[in-house]
């Protein structure tokens, strides 16, 4: 019997390709070409499964043009590149890659917070540029992390990981806002206090964004929200581009309406708003919060397990639209 065909849209660990090849006819993109939508549609012809990253958009146009598609497995916890309602309507299963990246991503949220608060990249650029000719008592003074108020917007697994690092490791006062309040047990584990979004903006010394992107979180942090923050506050975005209005943030950083920002995600990435590149008080990284080899391998393996589980036994591990299973 012929094996189902699967398209792997981006380059991935060879061992993941090998695992997939045991079950499927694989067309892979180890050259890591970035496809246009038309090319992606062409590649998906005759494929039962697709292995994607957050760079590939799976929407109604793609689904309508690829009627053989049964599952799209995203190697990311975020899945705003999927139109899940359109997938469900067409009986296509979507899966994401949660849990395996939680601690690594929370580590990175903290790395970005600390680099931002203590002006690590800004001072390194100064040193590399040969500008360090004498020490001065106030050079690159930043803000304290220990004992400060840590605000978290979006208190899922990654948000909770950041809260625990802040509360237990750095003695921070942790406040959070989320669509729904955590249980008393989880709040106690995280030593976190639920507050309104307005109070979060007004109180946080370091505000970390970890909420999913959707139409309702688009520009959740714009000019009005930035104006409510302390002028000494730092903003960290490890969630998704589009949650922050990058133009408004660049203006707030330029005018020192907030102290600094640390950004791993951007509107329209891999493009970065040119005004963000002009301000010194921002730490910029290219969407790497989950980038350690063991974690990226675990994410790749989970996406592969979803394809194998669903296409060989009808049993995906982390379905986003499980209603497709009973259609
Ligand atoms: C990365 O941004 C992810 O969603 O996994």
């Amino acid at each position: 019997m012929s094996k189902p065909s699967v398209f792997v849209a981006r380059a991935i660990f060879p061992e993941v390709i090998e695992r997939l090849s045991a079950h499927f006819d694989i067309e892979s993109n180890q050259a890591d070409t970035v496809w246009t939508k038309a090319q992606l549609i062409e590649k998906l012809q005759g494929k039962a499964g697709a292995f994607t990253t957050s760079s590939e958009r799976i929407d109604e146009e793609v689904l309508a043009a690829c009627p053989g598609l049964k599952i799209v497995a995203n190697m990311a916890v975020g899945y705003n590149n999927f139109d899940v309602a359109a997938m469900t309507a067409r009986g296509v299963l979507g899966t994401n890659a949660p849990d395996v990246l939680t601690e690594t991503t929370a580590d990175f949220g903290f790395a970005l917070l600390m680099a931002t608060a203590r002006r690590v990249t800004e001072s390194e650029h100064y040193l590399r540029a040969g500008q360090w000719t004498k020490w001065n008592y106030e050079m690159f003074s930043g803000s304290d992390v220990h004992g400060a108020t840590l605000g978290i917007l979006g208190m899922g697994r990654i948000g909770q990981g950041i809260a625990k690092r802040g509360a237990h490791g750095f003695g921070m006062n942790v406040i959070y806002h989320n669509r729904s309040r955590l249980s008393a047990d989880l709040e106690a584990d995280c030593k976190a206090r639920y507050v309104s979004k307005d109070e979060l903006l007004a109180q946080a010394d370091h505000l970390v964004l970890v909420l999913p992107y959707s139409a309702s979180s688009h520009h959740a942090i714009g000019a009005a929200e930035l104006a409510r923050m302390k002028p000494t506050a730092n903003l960290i975005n490890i969630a998704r581009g589009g949650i922050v209005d990058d133009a408004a943030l660049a203006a707030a950083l330029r005018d020192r309406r907030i102290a600094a920002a640390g950004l791993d995600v951007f509107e329209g990435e891999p493009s970065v708003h040119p005004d963000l590149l002009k301000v010194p008080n921002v730490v910029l990284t290219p969407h790497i919060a989950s980038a350690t080899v063991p974690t990226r391998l675990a994410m790749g393996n989970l996406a592969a397990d979803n394809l194998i589980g669903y296409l060989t036994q009808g049993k995906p591990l982390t379905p986003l639209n499980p209603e497709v299973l009973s259609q």
Side-chain angles (χ1 to χ4, degrees):
M1 216 173 74
S2 71
K3 296 175 182 172
S5 294
V6 165
F7 178 58
V8 181
R10 298 294 303 276
I12 186 59
F13 297 95
E15 51 265 61
V16 174
I17 299 282
E18 216 169 287
R19 287 191 58 221
L20 289 167
S21 299
H23 302 271
F24 308 121
D25 281 333
I26 294 295
E27 181 177 348
S28 67
N29 176 18
Q30 290 302 78
D32 212 28
T33 307
V34 177
W35 308 112
T36 61
K37 187 184 259 190
Q39 287 171 320
L40 180 65
I41 288 173
E42 198 187 310
K43 294 282 173 192
L44 288 174
Q45 294 310 303
K47 305 294 189 304
F51 180 119
T52 56
T53 68
S54 47
S55 315
E56 289 73 50
R57 174 128 190 90
I58 304 296
D59 58 14
E60 173 58 21
E61 187 184 344
V62 172
L63 295 165
C66 306
L69 202 57
K70 294 189 168 65
I71 170 174
V72 186
N74 218 26
M75 186 188 140
V77 64
Y79 51 90
N80 55 301
N81 56 315
F82 287 1
D83 180 339
V84 177
M87 292 171 88
T88 307
R90 290 195 172 268
V92 177
L93 189 80
T95 65
N96 68 338
D99 301 320
V100 291
L101 78 183
T102 299
E103 298 303 331
T104 295
T105 305
D107 283 350
F108 189 81
F110 233 85
L112 204 47
L113 186 160
M114 295 193 75
T116 303
R118 298 305 306 273
R119 304 175 64 178
V120 171
T121 56
E122 194 185 345
S123 59
E124 184 184 350
H125 289 148
Y126 166 90
L127 182 152
R128 284 181 186 272
Q131 291 173 300
W132 187 26
T133 52
K134 67 179 168 64
W135 182 91
N136 174 280
Y137 77 97
E138 61 179 359
M139 68 197 288
F140 294 107
S141 292
S143 46
D144 276 323
V145 174
H146 72 275
T149 295
L150 169 61
I152 301 176
L153 185 57
M155 198 60 154
R157 291 160 287 217
I158 298 169
Q160 291 168 39
I162 291 168
K164 285 179 195 158
R165 282 159 177 77
H168 302 296
F170 289 83
M172 298 177 89
N173 165 37
V174 181
I175 54 177
Y176 78 98
H177 183 75
N178 196 42
R179 272 174 308 187
S180 50
R181 191 170 167 172
L182 297 186
S183 68
D185 281 354
L186 281 178
E187 283 191 352
D189 272 1
C190 297
K191 286 193 163 183
R193 185 166 64 85
Y194 182 79
V195 295
S196 67
K197 185 176 170 190
D198 275 347
E199 191 176 344
L200 187 82
L201 293 168
Q203 298 298 324
D205 295 310
H206 307 280
L207 177 60
V208 184
L209 309 178
V210 211
L211 65 168
Y213 179 80
S214 66
S216 61
S217 62
H218 181 74
H219 287 187
I221 302 293
E225 289 75 18
L226 291 162
R228 286 193 200 113
M229 292 175 68
K230 295 179 184 177
T232 50
N234 299 309
L235 176 71
I236 310 300
N237 187 7
I238 58 164
R240 272 290 181 274
I243 290 176
V244 175
D245 177 343
D246 285 349
L249 175 61
L253 291 167
R254 183 197 60 214
D255 300 342
R256 305 277 165 175
R257 277 182 269 122
I258 66 168
L263 307 174
D264 188 47
V265 288
F266 305 88
E267 290 190 281
E269 63 188 49
S271 298
V272 174
H273 194 293
D275 292 352
L276 283 172
L277 300 173
K278 290 184 197 143
V279 288
N281 46 342
V282 61
V283 179
L284 305 166
T285 54
H287 204 146
I288 57 167
S290 63
T292 66
V293 170
T295 293
R296 286 276 162 91
L297 183 56
M299 292 165 73
N301 274 322
L302 180 49
D305 286 338
N306 273 307
L307 286 160
I308 296 166
Y310 187 54
L311 290 176
T312 68
Q313 297 169 48
K315 290 187 182 148
L317 272 72
T318 51
L320 294 167
N321 49 353
E323 52 274 42
V324 166
L325 302 174
S326 50
Q327 275 174 5

